[in-house]
Amino acid sequence: MALTALTATTATACAFPLQDLGPLPPRFSGPPLPADTVVAEVTSVLAAEGITVEREPSGVLGKCWERLSGRHAPETVEAALKAAVARARSEHRWQTGPDTGFERLTLTKGNWTVSAGFAADVPPGGQAPVIVSLTCVDGGDTTTAPTAPSAPTAVPAPAST
């Protein structure tokens, strides 16, 4: 009994009063964007700058992740990627994304973040690989997220006589 009282007193004395600060701010603004819409926009701004990419199958159920890959002439790949990012901001309202500390270009829109980069070291006569990663928060593409099983319905037991 004394141990219970000591534990309760210690927990009460060390606990800070909780204050309700209201709901957390949203992690993104606007409705979630479907993966197909985001991939189409990014693919089109890259194509407008001469970068052709293909969508790789993600194969990850329940994750919001897409990857685009392609190749481009090494002498113009950096300028083409920068122009595609500028086009995405001006034509599709993408915003400059967080600085990752690497030489990658990032954009954000709604619940998506796009990160694009290329290989700087290319063998003579080769083409620079271009990799674009698209990730999202809170879903947005219900076709790739697994659905939760429905809860079982309670059925009353038959009355016994």
Side-chain angles (χ1 to χ4, degrees):
M1 176 85 143
L3 183 58
T4 305
L6 178 61
T7 304
T9 304
T10 304
T12 305
C14 294
F16 295 103
L18 296 177
Q19 181 182 6
D20 185 2
L21 300 175
L24 292 172
R27 293 170 58 179
F28 59 92
S29 62
L33 300 171
D36 291 339
T37 301
V38 173
V39 168
E41 283 184 10
V42 172
T43 301
S44 73
V45 296
L46 290 169
E49 299 303 329
I51 301 173
T52 304
V53 291
E54 292 183 17
R55 185 178 189 175
E56 296 180 10
S58 73
V60 181
L61 289 178
K63 297 285 184 181
C64 239
W65 182 80
E66 296 288 337
R67 182 173 157 153
L68 307 173
S69 63
R71 297 191 171 275
H72 191 73
E75 356 10 276
T76 59
V77 68
E78 184 175 5
L81 271 175
K82 287 180 179 179
V85 166
R87 183 181 296 270
R89 286 195 309 257
S90 66
E91 293 179 9
H92 297 282
R93 297 188 304 250
W94 284 84
Q95 302 295 313
T96 301
D99 182 7
T100 61
F102 302 104
E103 291 193 24
R104 297 195 57 84
L105 302 169
T106 59
L107 294 168
T108 61
K109 182 177 179 182
N111 57 323
W112 287 88
T113 299
V114 174
S115 177
F118 60 94
D121 297 328
V122 179
Q127 293 219 320
V130 175
I131 304 294
V132 181
S133 298
L134 303 94
T135 55
C136 77
V137 292
D138 294 339
D141 185 5
T142 56
T143 61
T144 59
T147 57
S150 59
T153 306
V155 177
S160 60
T161 57

